[in-house]
Amino acid sequence: MDGFISKIQRNSTADGPGIRTTVLAVGCPMKCLWCPNPELIGDAAKFLYHPRRCVGCGLCVSKPGMEPVCYYDAYEEIGEKVSAKELTARLLSDKAIYAQTGGGVTFSGGDATMQAEFFYEVTKGLKESDVHVALDTAGFFPWEKLAPLVAAVDLVLYSIKTLNRGLHKRYTGVDNKLILENALRIADMQKDMIVRMMLVPGVNDSEDEITGRLKFVKSLGKNVKVDIIKYKKLDADKYASLAMIEMMEGTPECPDMLADRAVNIANNMGIEVVRNYNEAIH
């Protein structure tokens, strides 16, 4: 069984406990306007175009319908195919670091659940070597696809962007009903979960919005913590290289004061806030 991944990020401290190796999987069913990895949206290979490297030879358009060809590296293909056995071996090379720091492996993306069967196989290999495994997902999948992978991993990092269905559809392209239902199902499994709350000024940063999301987190039970994530400005050059429009232009970054307010509300509700929310997120 082969998987399709973008990159492997070692020495990560923002994707679960300890020092971790994060696998960025290609593919995501959502189209979040604030996505920092737009090259991973969808389920096919993407090409970044670097105009400064182009010499205008015309080779890339000489064969319509073919993948871009360039001897000057003006096109950069995103993603590589890898077998479950090969990826497991690569990840186990850092096993000593995981053991020393209480870390492990995190499957992210995109959304690794797009390739649930593949990452289930990798998880089995990692668990045979007692490696802690986390899944970073937005949960927009049929439960029968999500459930086996959730059951196999140790921790779920779960993104809840807003409770407002209209707002969710506008900024992510999908309804949030299934996402919220799956969060409840994961909680019923007594699975350790960290809900990731992105704060985007002018979008989901009102008092009612923050309080509402945190009340939902509280309802998920004692195994659930929260991670407050501050919105950072997107890489406009990356969007341009994909011929995509950066729709969040003009949106300010989340200020410390807003994140502090969310942390205080969570603390007052008795919800544990994990890690330093000032850290950058991929």
Side-chain angles (χ1 to χ4, degrees), residues 104-170:
V105 172
T106 299
F107 302 134
S108 186
D111 197 317
T113 314
M114 284 276 284
Q115 304 176 61
E117 295 82 2
F118 171 76
F119 283 104
Y120 177 81
E121 290 300 317
V122 179
T123 298
K124 285 200 304 182
L126 293 173
K127 296 308 299 176
E128 288 174 0
S129 294
D130 296 321
V131 173
H132 183 278
V133 181
L135 170 67
D136 184 0
T137 182
F140 187 68
F141 300 93
W143 180 240
E144 57 269 22
K145 183 179 182 71
L146 179 61
L149 184 55
V150 167
V153 303
D154 301 288
L155 171 69
V156 178
L157 308 176
Y158 204 82
S159 180
I160 297 181
K161 304 169 192 310
T162 175
L163 298 185
N164 185 302
R165 294 180 70 177
L167 199 64
H168 198 280
K169 178 84 176 202
R170 176 182 174 186

Side-chain angles (χ1 to χ4, degrees), residues 39 44 57 74 83 126 140 159 188 206-207 216 267:
E39 71 277 14
C57 67
S83 71
L126 293 173
F140 187 68
S159 180
D188 286 342
S206 70
E207 197 82 12
F216 182 78
N267 287 335

Side-chain angles (χ1 to χ4, degrees), residues 19-88:
I19 294 178
R20 310 187 70 80
T21 298
T22 299
V23 180
L24 298 186
V26 174
C28 184
M30 299 168 64
K31 297 180 179 178
C32 300
L33 298 188
W34 52 72
C35 181
N37 298 319
E39 71 277 14
L40 304 183
I41 294 174
D43 59 359
K46 304 281 194 312
F47 290 87
L48 297 177
Y49 173 58
H50 304 285
R52 292 179 182 176
R53 302 176 187 173
C54 180
V55 298
C57 67
L59 180 61
C60 60
V61 295
S62 62
K63 297 181 179 181
M66 301 293 286
E67 291 184 349
V69 176
C70 182
Y71 293 119
Y72 301 93
D73 296 325
Y75 286 98
E76 176 189 352
E77 185 175 7
I78 301 298
E80 65 167 311
K81 285 189 176 180
V82 61
S83 71
K85 183 177 180 180
E86 179 187 352
L87 180 58
T88 302

Side-chain angles (χ1 to χ4, degrees), residues 215-233:
K215 284 182 178 178
F216 182 78
V217 172
K218 182 73 173 177
S219 75
L220 296 176
K222 63 181 181 179
N223 293 325
V224 183
K225 303 172 185 177
V226 70
D227 184 5
I228 305 297
I229 298 172
K230 301 195 301 180
Y231 168 76
K232 302 289 186 182
K233 287 188 178 180

Side-chain angles (χ1 to χ4, degrees), residues 179-191:
I179 293 170
L180 299 178
E181 289 175 348
N182 282 340
L184 294 169
R185 293 182 177 114
I186 295 171
D188 286 342
M189 294 172 68
Q190 301 294 305
K191 180 67 64 173

